[in-house]
Amino acid sequence: MRRGWRYRSEVAARVGLAAFGGYALAALATAFLSLTLPMVRSEAVATATLISFAILAGAVIWVFAARTLLLAALGLGLPIALLGLGLWLAFDGASMGPPA
């Protein structure tokens, strides 16, 4: 069967959402977890970075598993907004002393 331009544009939009939205979600999660994990700062950063790979993979799977593009965008937008708020609150309370 021949696919039309609407199908192709929706797939392209999902690819863009998965790439950029997934990266944004993983980056915010890494920053948030680096500040909030209860361990030495260097270990928290390494742990948060490892967790971010799973978050990015889950975001990509979510974008392509969602029934509509709007649900996929909402499914990424809500956690991005919550992590942004949490990062803002965590950064405000984080001590900026010497690294551990």
Side-chain angles (χ1 to χ4, degrees):
M1 257 192 209
R2 189 173 166 154
R3 301 280 184 182
W5 64 270
R6 287 185 183 179
Y7 175 78
R8 292 175 193 265
S9 65
E10 185 172 336
V11 171
R14 285 181 189 253
V15 168
L17 182 62
F20 296 110
Y23 179 79
L25 181 64
L28 283 171
T30 302
F32 178 73
L33 290 173
S34 294
L35 290 175
T36 58
L37 285 176
M39 55 183 67
V40 178
R41 181 65 56 96
S42 60
E43 291 177 4
V45 171
T47 303
T49 303
L50 290 173
I51 292 171
S52 74
F53 293 120
I55 291 171
L56 179 60
V60 171
I61 291 170
W62 165 254
V63 167
F64 284 98
R67 186 170 297 276
T68 65
L69 186 59
L70 179 63
L71 284 176
L74 288 175
L76 285 185
L78 183 62
I80 286 172
L82 291 175
L83 279 171
L85 177 64
L87 181 62
W88 180 63
L89 293 173
F91 189 69
D92 190 39
S95 65
M96 289 294 136

